[in-house]
Amino acid sequence: MLVKTYAAAVEGVGARLITIEATVTMGVRFYLIGLPDEAVKESHERIFSALQHNNIPIPKKQVVVNMAPADIKKEGAAYDLPLAISMLAANESVSVELLDKYVMMGELSLDGTLQTVKGVLPIAIMAKELGFKGVILPTGNCREAAVVDDLEVLGANTLVEVVDFLNGKGELEKTTVNPFEELDTQMLQMGIDFADVKGQDSVKRAMEVAAAGGHNIIMIGPPGAGKSMMAKRMPTILPPLTLPEALETTKIHSVAGKVERGTSLITQRPFRSPHHTVSDVALVGGGTNPQPGEISLAHNGVLFLDELPEFKRAALEVLRQPLEDRKISIARAKNTIEYPSSFMLVASMNPCPCGYYTHPTRACTCSSSAIRRYLNKISGPLLDRIDIQIEIVPVPFEQLANQQTAEPSAAIRERVVKARAIQEQRFKDVKGVYCNAQMTPRQLRTYARPNAEGLALLQNAMLRFNLSARAYDRILKVARTIADLDGSEQITAEHVSEAVGYRNLDRAGWVQ
């Protein structure tokens, strides 16, 4: 008897339908074909152990299972459940009536218990698009898949439960989730706040500007000045995730297996902080079996690179294209996988090898040449993609001892959201541009033209500080954001002046 069950293969952040065909004929062998990897081939042992443990009749004849299409490599143990069901149905131990209505995925333990799998959300989206009634998954994956509306999500704990359901002897628990309620109840539950930061008003202002315009930012200062503390609080002032952003973010984390058991949606903007020993593949994604890297896991959120000059040059240089295109393409011999990577880069660094070049009370022991070599570890093209460069100095004791609470993240976020709303309206007819940081030189001439006083001040600043040509566009972008925070349609000299102050590393003579 020939039967078909349906599963899925994850490709990038999407999924592709896999048809599993099984037939039982005269003979004694087991054949699994259709380009399975080693983990899929090992399913034979897990399936037969699960059947034995649960006293389910094992086919005593020759079994041939084909996974179509055959040109797609099938990877992982998530195919155990559909493979087992197809074999049982071909052996007439399971009814075939419901097999064409559901996509099934799940890893089997030796006792028949179902284990959670990766990539459930894109699989559920694919099932809905192809017109399936629903999906049958391990219970721990159900909330993640249930954010897809108009799709029946059935959860099972064991293989026996699935067999009984297909034979009409039992029911599987249906899971429903309201994604809008998930966003409303969880998106503001953060344990950190800018109210915890003492002093550093100028740096907090720079971070507010960065959040309002989607600008990349780097903080330069001595150890203990609070760089990491403030970077970790950046997500608390970014606009809340929209439902499409939450779904897109959850898809990436689902493919990477980073969604916690029982979680439906990722409702807070991601914050990724890889160690400086990270490889270029771990940073941007790839590998033998391509997986999303840190830049994709930070999609719609923040990528924080602490002690930027300590990262390997090769790892930093691969960031250049994703920062510009907001996506990363991973090419392999047989296919190319594309992952989204629209993140805000927040970086920090010491001003010199010893760390105390800008310290107000401690003397720096580094020579000028040593400082230059240290700063030159960051290439010009990468620095070109960082709009805001701000110096930070340690907080005086008087401010640390002050018991007055600083401005909370909620108040800053309110201003950021208003500024983003202005930009959303401005770029509503411009494809691929959602905030000021994404403006092209042509759009700068349209939307970021200062008034006469502002233009004169910018000219003087370029000459006085010997600012580079790349700084010109960055200053205009940041000035446009500052004007949006002020609710001003026109960019004035005041806005330009503040924006010029955020280009510390571009100033000639910063290192004497």
Side-chain angles (χ1 to χ4, degrees):
M1 180 178 181
L2 176 65
V3 299
K4 296 181 180 181
T5 59
Y6 298 93
V10 175
E11 289 187 334
V13 290
R16 185 168 176 179
L17 184 68
I18 299 296
T19 302
I20 298 177
E21 305 168 316
T23 182
V24 175
T25 58
M26 295 299 295
V28 294
R29 299 192 64 181
F30 176 86
Y31 297 94
L32 179 58
I33 57 178
L35 208 59
D37 72 351
E38 284 301 317
V40 180
K41 291 177 182 178
E42 291 169 353
S43 65
H44 172 268
E45 306 302 328
R46 291 190 294 271
I47 291 170
F48 276 68
S49 173
L51 296 179
Q52 273 187 326
H53 186 83
N54 291 283
N55 297 318
I56 299 174
I58 298 174
K60 302 295 185 181
K61 302 178 182 180
Q62 178 171 283
V63 179
V64 180
V65 181
N66 178 47
M67 308 178 75
D71 62 336
I72 298 177
K73 191 169 183 62
K74 321 307 185 299
E75 299 172 342
Y79 295 102
D80 288 358
L81 177 61
L83 286 171
I85 295 300
S86 67
M87 290 167 51
L88 292 174
N91 197 43
E92 299 184 358
S93 299
V94 167
S95 171
V96 299
E97 184 179 350
L98 299 176
L99 294 185
D100 62 346
K101 294 180 172 59
Y102 294 93
V103 172
M104 290 180 273
M105 298 296 285
E107 177 184 342
L108 283 174
S109 296
L110 296 183
D111 62 354
T113 303
L114 288 176
Q115 305 293 330
T116 55
V117 297
K118 299 191 294 185
V120 165
L121 182 54
I123 290 171
I125 294 171
M126 178 217 68
K128 179 188 175 183
E129 291 174 347
L130 295 181
F132 283 89
K133 180 180 179 181
V135 292
I136 298 175
L137 301 166
T139 302
N141 287 126
C142 286
R143 285 184 58 80
E144 181 184 338
V147 298
V148 181
D149 57 357
D150 299 325
L151 184 73
E152 191 175 273
V153 179
L154 303 179
N157 293 307
T158 65
L159 173 62
V160 174
E161 291 180 8
V162 179
V163 171
D164 288 344
F165 169 73
L166 295 174
N167 286 332
K169 297 180 181 179
E171 294 294 327
L172 295 178
E173 183 179 354
K174 184 177 179 180
T175 303
T176 57
V177 168
N178 186 329
F180 294 101
E181 289 182 0
E182 294 291 308
L183 280 175
D184 290 341
T185 57
Q186 295 184 30
M187 67 182 178
L188 296 179
Q189 296 177 3
M190 298 185 183
I192 54 178
D193 198 287
F194 264 102
D196 305 327
V197 181
K198 300 288 187 180
Q200 304 293 12
D201 293 336
S202 62
V203 184
K204 285 191 280 189
R205 168 64 177 178
M207 300 197 78
E208 177 183 340
V209 173
H215 303 287
N216 300 320
I217 180 173
I218 183 170
M219 295 174 283
I220 310 103
K227 302 186 293 294
S228 300
M229 182 182 187
M230 283 186 283
K232 291 175 182 177
R233 283 157 176 74
M234 176 63 88
T236 68
I237 63 174
L238 289 172
L241 283 171
T242 63
L243 183 57
E245 286 177 329
L247 285 169
E248 190 176 31
T249 304
T250 307
K251 278 170 57 178
I252 298 170
H253 286 248
S254 175
V255 169
K258 302 293 185 183
V259 177
E260 295 181 4
R261 182 185 176 95
T263 299
S264 57
L265 270 182
I266 291 178
T267 56
Q268 298 176 5
R269 293 195 179 271
F271 180 87
R272 304 295 299 183
S273 180
H275 192 260
H276 60 75
T277 57
V278 66
S279 68
D280 51 349
V281 172
L283 193 59
V284 301
T288 305
N289 301 321
Q291 288 286 299
E294 291 291 334
I295 63 172
S296 295
L297 294 173
H299 181 65
N300 291 324
V302 173
L303 177 68
F304 176 46
L305 301 183
D306 197 9
E307 303 299 342
L308 189 64
E310 301 301 328
F311 283 78
K312 289 181 288 187
R313 184 68 174 251
L316 291 180
E317 292 308 299
V318 295
L319 287 177
R320 287 159 53 177
Q321 183 256 339
L323 280 170
E324 197 73 25
D325 298 340
R326 300 186 179 272
K327 60 183 179 181
I328 180 69
S329 295
I330 299 169
R332 292 292 180 265
K334 292 187 177 180
N335 66 341
T336 298
I337 295 174
E338 187 173 281
Y339 293 116
S341 58
S342 180
F343 59 90
M344 179 186 294
L345 175 63
V346 178
S348 70
M349 59 178 287
N350 293 331
C352 65
C354 79
Y356 297 105
Y357 176 63
T358 58
H359 200 284
T361 58
R362 296 188 63 170
C364 173
T365 59
C366 305
S367 64
S368 295
S369 59
I371 298 175
R372 289 193 188 94
R373 283 196 302 273
Y374 184 75
L375 296 178
N376 286 338
K377 290 183 179 181
I378 307 170
S379 69
L382 179 61
L383 202 61
D384 183 36
R385 289 161 173 80
I386 300 178
D387 296 346
I388 297 177
Q389 307 158 358
I390 184 74
E391 284 187 68
I392 177 172
V393 295
V395 180
F397 174 79
E398 292 75 15
Q399 292 185 6
L400 285 174
N402 190 345
Q403 296 300 313
Q404 186 175 355
T405 304
E407 185 178 32
S409 294
I412 303 174
R413 173 184 272 189
E414 187 176 344
R415 296 194 295 269
V416 168
V417 169
K418 288 181 180 178
R420 286 288 185 105
I422 294 172
Q423 294 164 54
E424 184 179 349
Q425 182 65 24
R426 175 182 299 134
F427 303 122
K428 64 180 181 179
D429 297 324
V430 183
K431 185 178 180 180
V433 178
Y434 308 101
C435 57
N436 291 332
Q438 299 171 348
M439 283 192 290
T440 64
R442 177 177 294 181
Q443 290 159 352
L444 280 174
R445 293 193 294 271
T446 303
Y447 302 115
R449 182 75 178 173
N451 61 14
E453 293 81 4
L455 200 59
L457 190 148
L458 179 56
Q459 182 181 12
N460 290 337
M462 296 286 290
L463 295 173
R464 178 181 175 186
F465 298 119
N466 194 23
L467 295 176
S468 63
R470 71 176 181 230
Y472 177 79
D473 285 356
R474 305 295 170 185
I475 290 171
L476 289 181
K477 288 182 181 182
V478 174
R480 176 68 270 169
T481 300
I482 296 168
D484 290 341
L485 283 168
D486 282 351
S488 171
E489 180 62 31
Q490 188 149 50
I491 299 175
T492 66
E494 181 180 330
H495 303 140
V496 172
S497 176
E498 183 177 351
V500 169
Y502 296 143
R503 298 302 302 179
N504 292 103
L505 291 182
D506 274 337
R507 298 180 184 180
W510 192 77
V511 179
Q512 300 297 330

